[in-house]
Amino acid sequence: MKRTLRGSEGFTLAELLVVIAILGFIMGAVFTLQQQGQLAYLTGAARVEVQQNARLGLDTMISEIRLALPVAGTTQVVGAIDNNCSAGAPPTSGGGSSITFTDQDNIAVTYQLVGASCATSASGCDLQRNGQTLVGGVQQLRIWCYNGSGALNNALTEIREIRIQIQTKTERPAAAGSPGDQHAVVEGRVRFRNI
């Protein structure tokens, strides 16, 4: 005697194919969401890196320049500066790339951009303070110098205000247009206090 169970026929091939197709669409959507999330994370992390580097370099320079001491018996604060500090039309062109002054501890401080072809280099250049790297990935450092009336002037005895612009990119090489290819520009002005 042969017994048959009711409802034990199983699934048809058509039903299995429909379920597999639906699962495939769901997995594709989950993969796309995960990929977009990872792309957003990489872009955000690279953007934070370049902004922090630029802000660190600018804040350090401004705080030290603000407290710079004048040369003994004079009102000259800047010891040396790139002659291009009075050239160009800020903030789009010109500007020097190095400055030397005496800090509040009576120590000579030099900020300069070190490296070759900073704007086109895969990893940029280094912003150095007295030969020590402060931040990397710098594409451009521009310093403009102004006299007491706000006009561009590179005469060391007449400089009363400095405008600094730093452009950075990620320190690790990144392909153009990739999530890691981020850039930041920060700018600030500082007027000498100790003169």
Side-chain angles (χ1 to χ4, degrees):
M1 177 173 9
K2 200 173 192 187
R3 292 174 129 188
T4 60
L5 298 172
R6 288 187 191 167
S8 64
E9 294 105 23
F11 298 105
T12 65
L13 181 59
E15 292 171 331
L16 287 175
L17 288 175
V18 168
V19 168
I20 289 173
I22 291 171
L23 286 176
F25 284 126
I26 291 171
M27 292 304 292
V30 167
F31 177 75
T32 301
L33 285 174
Q34 186 272 340
Q35 193 175 29
Q36 291 298 321
Q38 185 176 13
L39 181 66
Y41 169 77
L42 293 173
T43 302
R47 186 171 294 143
V48 166
E49 176 192 341
V50 298
Q51 289 173 346
Q52 284 179 337
N53 280 350
R55 180 57 53 197
L56 172 67
L58 182 68
D59 288 348
T60 303
M61 287 181 73
I62 284 180
S63 64
E64 283 196 324
I65 290 172
R66 182 172 285 128
L67 298 173
L69 297 174
V71 175
T74 70
T75 58
Q76 176 183 332
V77 176
V78 177
I81 196 161
D82 186 328
N83 282 334
N84 289 331
C85 78
S86 63
T92 57
S93 66
S97 60
S98 67
I99 186 171
T100 301
F101 56 91
T102 303
D103 70 4
Q104 70 271 16
D105 297 322
N106 215 19
I107 298 171
V109 175
T110 300
Y111 282 98
Q112 62 186 355
L113 198 57
V114 177
S117 304
C118 301
T120 58
S121 168
S123 59
C125 293
D126 293 336
L127 174 60
Q128 292 189 348
R129 179 191 184 275
N130 288 351
Q132 299 292 319
T133 299
L134 184 61
V135 292
V138 178
Q139 287 185 292
Q140 197 169 55
L141 169 65
R142 289 181 170 171
I143 303 169
W144 293 276
C145 39
Y146 298 88
N147 61 19
S149 61
L152 287 172
N153 190 331
N154 66 359
L156 296 177
T157 57
E158 296 181 25
I159 298 173
R160 298 292 177 266
E161 188 174 352
I162 301 289
R163 181 177 183 171
I164 303 167
Q165 182 185 78
I166 300 175
Q167 180 178 351
T168 58
K169 64 190 243 176
T170 51
E171 294 181 62
R172 295 174 307 279
S178 70
D181 183 34
Q182 298 294 317
H183 305 268
V185 177
V186 294
E187 187 175 307
R189 286 179 88 128
V190 60
R191 192 162 185 82
F192 299 127
R193 287 187 177 174
N194 296 326
I195 52 172

